[in-house]
Amino acid sequence: MAFKLDELPYAYDSLEPAISSRTLEIHHGKHHQGYIDKLNKAISDTDYADYDLPKIIQASHEAGDDKVFRNAAQAWNHAFLWQSMSPNGGGVPTGPMADLIATSFGDYSDFTDKFRSAARSQFGSGWVWLTYDSGLLQIESTGNADTPIMNGKQPLLTLDVWEHAYYLDYQNERVQYIDVFLNELLDWTSAAAKLEKNNEAA
Ligand code: FE2
């Protein structure tokens, strides 16, 4: 089964000025599409072609099939990234998520300090994740295509810190891009829905 690129859940220009339409068009239409095209080519006529994306990620990771793994993981990570942002995002969460932030990190600024620090210190390309495990939230970063789901974890949010995500808008100022994500884009509603789903499945 060939994978297809889903449309974004919002218009290309709807995250402006935080993220320009041009950046989003290239990021979604070229980079994300490219990972899907390369994945389809790499799994064609293999056993992977019968699997869903998380299963391809886990199986190719275990087998050391780097080409399949990298493109499958990047296809999944980007689909997850689009769900992690919203035109009305950013700021302090409310409800159960606010309570979890307090239990897991302290106050909201402790959370943003930790998130910022993980995003700043990820050397080169990679991702920063908010994951949920054993009743607590955790922040972790991964290099290149690596993703928490390769270890069976379910993340709630992600930030892409590959340069292609921000270079046109912020050049080398990754710190500005991280702050804009936290203040204007991060979709707490989506994260809360994923948390609820995880709790129902547990
Ligand atoms: Fe990306």
Side-chain angles (χ1 to χ4, degrees):
M1 179 191 71
F3 291 96
K4 283 195 188 130
L5 179 68
D6 288 333
E7 279 186 26
L8 285 183
Y10 30 75
Y12 281 132
D13 63 359
S14 63
L15 302 184
E16 289 191 337
I19 293 184
S20 66
S21 179
R22 179 87 180 122
T23 290
L24 213 48
E25 274 173 34
I26 295 172
H27 200 175
H28 178 255
K30 303 286 183 196
H31 290 281
H32 192 179
Q33 179 75 65
Y35 295 124
I36 290 175
D37 291 346
K38 285 182 204 139
L39 172 66
N40 283 331
K41 209 170 156 194
I43 63 172
S44 167
D45 297 324
T46 72
D47 289 347
Y48 293 120
D50 297 328
Y51 299 168
D52 66 14
L53 207 41
K55 198 172 168 191
I56 293 176
I57 291 168
Q58 285 171 10
S60 61
H61 178 54
E62 278 165 25
D65 284 339
D66 287 346
K67 193 173 178 188
V68 172
F69 171 76
R70 279 196 304 267
N71 289 296
Q74 285 293 77
W76 192 91
N77 291 348
H78 281 88
F80 194 84
L81 170 69
W82 312 134
Q83 297 165 21
S84 298
M85 301 190 289
S86 156
N88 306 308
V92 185
T94 53
M97 190 62 82
D99 298 339
L100 258 180
I101 295 245
T103 316
S104 308
F105 304 111
D107 61 21
Y108 180 71
S109 66
D110 293 322
F111 158 74
T112 55
D113 285 350
K114 281 209 171 81
F115 194 95
R116 244 189 232 111
S117 165
R120 253 197 331 247
S121 58
Q122 171 56 41
F123 182 74
S125 299
W127 300 82
V128 181
W129 305 88
L130 183 68
T131 57
Y132 177 70
D133 189 33
S134 308
L136 287 176
L137 298 170
Q138 291 172 343
I139 292 166
E140 58 184 283
S141 53
T142 58
N144 298 316
D146 284 0
T147 174
I149 73 161
M150 70 196 206
N151 299 315
K153 281 194 191 171
Q154 284 300 321
L156 304 179
L157 281 170
T158 195
L159 172 65
D160 185 347
V161 292
W162 283 60
E163 277 192 346
H164 68 221
Y166 62 88
Y167 201 84
L168 281 178
D169 298 330
Y170 298 97
Q171 290 77 51
N172 58 328
E173 299 293 339
R174 186 189 281 187
V175 172
Q176 282 180 21
Y177 161 70
I178 298 164
D179 282 344
V180 161
F181 176 79
L182 288 167
N183 296 331
E184 298 176 38
L185 297 174
L186 179 165
D187 188 351
W188 283 119
T189 308
S190 164
K194 289 186 169 70
L195 177 67
E196 207 171 307
K197 214 168 147 193
N198 284 2
N199 283 337
E200 279 168 13

